[in-house]
Amino acid sequence: MNKIITLNEFIIQRQADFPYAKGELSRLLTHIGLAAKVVNREVNQAGLVDILGSLEKTNIQGEEVKKLDVFANERFINAMFGSSEIAGMATEERADIIFDDTEMAKNAKYVLCLDPLDGSSNIDVNVSIGTIFSIYRRITPRGHKPELEDFLQEGTKQVAAGYIIYGSSTMLVYTTGRGVNGFTLDPSIGEFCLSHQDIKTPLIGKIYSVNESYYHSFSKGVRKFIDYCKEPDKESGRPYTARYIGSLVADFHRNLLKGGIYMYPATKKHPNGKLRLLYEANPMAFIVEQAGGMAVDQKGQRILDIKPTELHQRVPLFIGSRNMVEQVMQFIEQEDGILPENGND
Ligand code: P6P
C-alpha cells in the first residue's frame, strides 16, 4: 500500500528545494492548508447552518456578497496573519491592501493576493467553488508596513500560487515553481494527502469553457474560434466538448486534468474581461505554465509578463492546453488584428 504523504510532510520534503527559505514559505503554505480545512467545514455544512444566502450588500466589485464570502475572507485573513509570515494581503473583498500593524508582520517576508471564495454565487446550488491564492516576496524594506508596489508585481515574480476546490472532494493544488501537485482532503484524518503528483495538463485539449450567452458580444476572432470548436471534423476530433460551470476554479481544475481551454474574453460589459489579474489570472497562469499549458490575454500577451497597475484590475483570460490557446490566438490575430476591438455591438 502506498505511503500517505500529507501536505505538511510534502512541504517539508520539498523545503530542500529552497536553500534561501528558512521555513517561512513552508509555514505559510501549512497555514493556508489549515484555513482551507476551516472554510471547507463551513462550505460543506452551508446547507445546514445559517451561512447560505446573501448579506444583502455588494462588495467593492459591485457584486452581491454572500455570507460565505465574508466568512472565507475573514478566516484566511486571520490564518495568514496568524502565520506571522505575511506582511500584508490584497483580497477581492477589500478595496485596499490589508496589513497587520505589528512588528512581526512588518518584518514578514511575503505578501498574499487572495480570492477567498471564487464562484460563490454557486454555493447556494451546491456547485463546486474555490479559493485562489498568490504569494510574492515583498520588495519594500522589511520593518515597515507593505506598500501597493509590493502587490503590483508581474506574475513571474510569484513564489507560490494555488487554489482549493470545495467539490465532491476538497483538493488543494499548488506550485512553487517546481511542478504542480494536488492534495485531497481525507476527512477521516483531517489531512490533505498527496493524490496528484507532478500534474501535467494534456498539450492537446478538446474541451472549451466559455459563457456562450455573450457570443454576440465577443470579438469576431473569438466567435470564429467558438464556431471552429463546434464544427464536425473527424481528423481533429471536433466538435469539441463544451463545459462551463460558472466557477473558474472548477472549470480550470477539470481542464487542467483533462485538457481544454477556459476563456473569459473582452465583452461590451467587461471591456477588460471579468477576471482579476492579481488573484485569479496570475495564480492560475503560474499553475498552468508549470503544468505545461499556456495563459495569455486577448492581445496574446503572456499573463505572467503583465505589469499590474491597479490592485483589482481585470484582464481577458485564455488559459489551458497549449494547442487550444494557440488556436484561438490565431483566429483573433487573423480576424481582429493584434489589438482586437472590445466586444461587438
Ligand atoms: P459569468 C465567478 O464570479 C467568476 O469570477 C468565475 O469563477 C467564473 O468563471 C466567472 O466569474 C463566471 O462569470 O459572467 O460567466 O457568470
Side-chain angles (χ1 to χ4, degrees):
M1 179 181 155
N2 295 338
K3 177 182 178 321
I4 289 176
I5 299 177
T6 66
L7 173 63
N8 294 356
E9 287 168 336
F10 185 84
I11 290 170
I12 289 164
Q13 280 171 16
R14 292 296 180 95
Q15 189 168 302
D17 290 345
F18 298 94
Y20 57 82
K22 302 178 203 64
E24 298 99 328
L25 185 59
S26 302
R27 265 194 300 283
L28 180 48
L29 288 169
T30 302
H31 276 79
I32 287 175
L34 179 62
K37 289 182 211 172
V38 173
V39 172
N40 174 65
R41 184 191 60 203
E42 295 306 312
V43 166
N44 286 348
Q45 291 174 355
L48 302 172
V49 296
D50 178 27
I51 197 161
L52 271 180
S54 166
L55 284 174
E56 270 79 55
K57 67 177 188 176
T58 55
N59 62 13
I60 51 150
Q61 320 286 346
E63 292 168 346
E64 184 185 39
V65 180
K66 301 284 188 178
K67 293 176 184 172
L68 263 176
D69 285 320
V70 174
F71 175 85
N73 195 47
E74 300 313 322
R75 280 297 156 285
F76 274 96
I77 290 172
N78 295 342
M80 291 302 91
F81 285 122
S83 75
S84 74
E85 304 301 350
I86 286 285
M89 290 175 70
T91 106
E92 184 204 29
E93 298 296 327
R94 300 281 187 85
D96 303 310
I97 57 178
I98 314 165
F99 55 89
D100 192 7
D101 201 10
T102 62
E103 288 314 306
M104 183 107 70
K106 288 178 194 169
N107 283 300
K109 209 174 185 179
Y110 300 104
V111 294
L112 181 117
C113 302
L114 180 81
D115 186 352
L117 211 56
D118 181 75
S120 58
S121 57
N122 290 307
I123 184 68
D124 297 8
V125 293
N126 213 9
V127 166
S128 301
I129 56 178
T131 297
I132 311 170
F133 64 89
S134 167
I135 300 170
Y136 291 88
R137 201 170 296 106
R138 67 179 298 179
I139 51 179
T140 56
R142 292 164 72 178
H144 304 275
K145 69 181 178 61
E147 304 292 341
L148 190 55
E149 64 186 289
D150 290 308
F151 297 85
L152 301 183
Q153 301 182 55
E154 292 88 341
T156 46
K157 305 281 182 37
Q158 293 175 93
V159 293
Y163 59 85
I164 297 104
I165 177 168
Y166 309 99
S168 50
S169 65
T170 293
M171 276 191 73
L172 186 151
V173 177
Y174 83 94
T175 183
T176 54
R178 284 168 176 73
V180 180
N181 292 284
F183 300 80
T184 300
L185 183 63
D186 179 341
S188 68
I189 57 172
E191 289 287 356
F192 280 103
C193 302
L194 183 62
S195 54
H196 297 66
Q197 186 154 10
D198 196 20
I199 297 172
K200 291 299 176 196
T201 195
L203 288 176
I204 307 286
K206 291 194 169 59
I207 295 173
Y208 69 102
S209 306
V210 64
N211 186 334
E212 290 199 52
S213 70
Y214 305 138
Y215 178 86
H216 294 293
S217 176
F218 292 147
S219 73
K220 190 174 176 190
V222 173
R223 299 202 307 275
K224 284 272 189 184
F225 174 68
I226 293 173
D227 298 342
Y228 170 81
C229 291
K230 296 175 182 215
E231 273 159 11
D233 175 277
K234 264 204 176 40
E235 193 183 327
S236 61
R238 288 181 287 137
Y240 293 153
T241 299
R243 287 285 183 274
Y244 190 74
I245 298 176
S247 176
L248 168 65
V249 176
D251 281 316
F252 177 87
H253 183 70
R254 178 203 53 246
N255 293 355
L256 181 73
L257 299 182
K258 294 192 164 190
I261 186 170
Y262 170 98
M263 301 185 287
Y264 208 106
T267 66
K268 201 135 184 69
K269 183 181 168 196
H270 295 297
N272 291 311
K274 178 183 179 186
L275 299 184
R276 287 76 164 195
L277 177 59
L278 264 60
Y279 40 81
E280 290 175 317
N282 263 336
M284 295 316 214
F286 189 11
I287 291 168
V288 86
E289 286 200 4
Q290 283 290 310
M294 192 173 174
V296 296
D297 67 8
Q298 199 150 336
K299 299 167 195 158
Q301 181 175 15
R302 183 186 180 215
I303 291 289
L304 294 182
D305 287 340
I306 296 173
K307 177 74 176 99
T309 52
E310 290 165 31
L311 215 47
H312 301 286
Q313 76 184 68
R314 299 175 191 265
V315 64
L317 180 63
F318 300 80
I319 186 169
S321 296
R322 182 167 288 279
N323 76 309
M324 299 187 84
V325 176
E326 288 171 346
Q327 278 169 350
V328 67
M329 282 301 128
Q330 280 163 13
F331 281 104
I332 289 175
E333 205 159 333
Q334 71 193 36
E335 300 295 338
D336 306 334
I338 297 172
L339 295 175
E341 285 309 306
N342 294 323
N344 214 9
D345 292 4

